[in-house]
Amino acid sequence: MDHNTHQHGTTWATAMRATLHCLTGCAVGEILGMVIGTALMWGNVPTMVLAIALAFVFGYSFTLFAVVRAGVSMKAAVKVALAADTVSIAVMELVDNGIIALVPGAMDAHLSDGLFWYALLGGFAVAFVITTPVNKWMIGRGKGHAVVHAYH
């Protein structure tokens, strides 16, 4: 058996692609939320809530649009997106936002501050490393992003 293959046939490459797909949606939503919250001069908590909500919206949307393009009804596509991405997005957001909250000064940094971007990008990197094995485990059991593969 290939050292990259889990006993259920899931490769690390598959898990990494699924995680990168999730990370892309999360990053778009989270950065947009931070920009909107900052532009509206909201505090840290409402800005973070908006950023997390948009991370879920964009994370689900990337899967939703791909599945709808494959000819699946919107109702069925929503179920697929929820099943495919909920755990992955939740883990990614928990890790990423936890890191931002723990980096001294990052919560008070402005969009123009390097600290803001270093904490955010560092959080995304750590979230990717932690979420990839979670996705590998889930895909290996026919859950998570595995439900999307039937539509590719």
Side-chain angles (χ1 to χ4, degrees):
M1 182 180 280
D2 180 338
H3 70 39
N4 287 329
T5 305
H6 187 274
Q7 64 267 22
H8 295 280
T10 304
T11 64
W12 282 105
T14 299
M16 289 172 69
R17 280 192 301 274
T19 306
L20 186 59
H21 178 269
C22 177
L23 177 65
T24 303
C26 288
V28 168
E30 195 160 325
I31 291 169
L32 183 60
M34 300 269 187
V35 169
I36 291 169
T38 300
L40 296 176
M41 293 186 270
W42 289 357
N44 289 338
V45 172
T47 298
M48 191 173 266
V49 168
L50 176 63
I52 292 168
L54 289 177
F56 273 91
V57 168
F58 278 87
Y60 288 137
S61 295
F62 282 23
T63 297
L64 184 69
F65 294 135
V67 174
V68 168
R69 267 196 320 267
V72 176
S73 73
M74 182 61 78
K75 183 178 178 180
V78 167
K79 289 179 182 179
V80 169
L82 291 173
D85 295 331
T86 299
V87 172
S88 183
I89 295 170
V91 170
M92 191 156 299
E93 287 303 299
L94 180 67
V95 171
D96 176 49
N97 284 286
I99 288 172
I100 292 169
L102 292 174
V103 171
M107 291 294 291
D108 296 320
H110 297 280
L111 295 174
S112 60
D113 294 337
L115 177 60
F116 170 83
W117 293 103
Y118 291 131
L120 183 64
L121 297 177
F124 286 148
V126 173
F128 179 83
V129 168
I130 291 174
T131 306
T132 297
V134 172
N135 282 331
K136 186 176 187 300
W137 182 83
M138 289 177 46
I139 293 167
R141 282 148 187 79
K143 306 216 181 294
H145 222 306
V147 299
V148 175
H149 290 238
Y151 303 101
H152 285 302

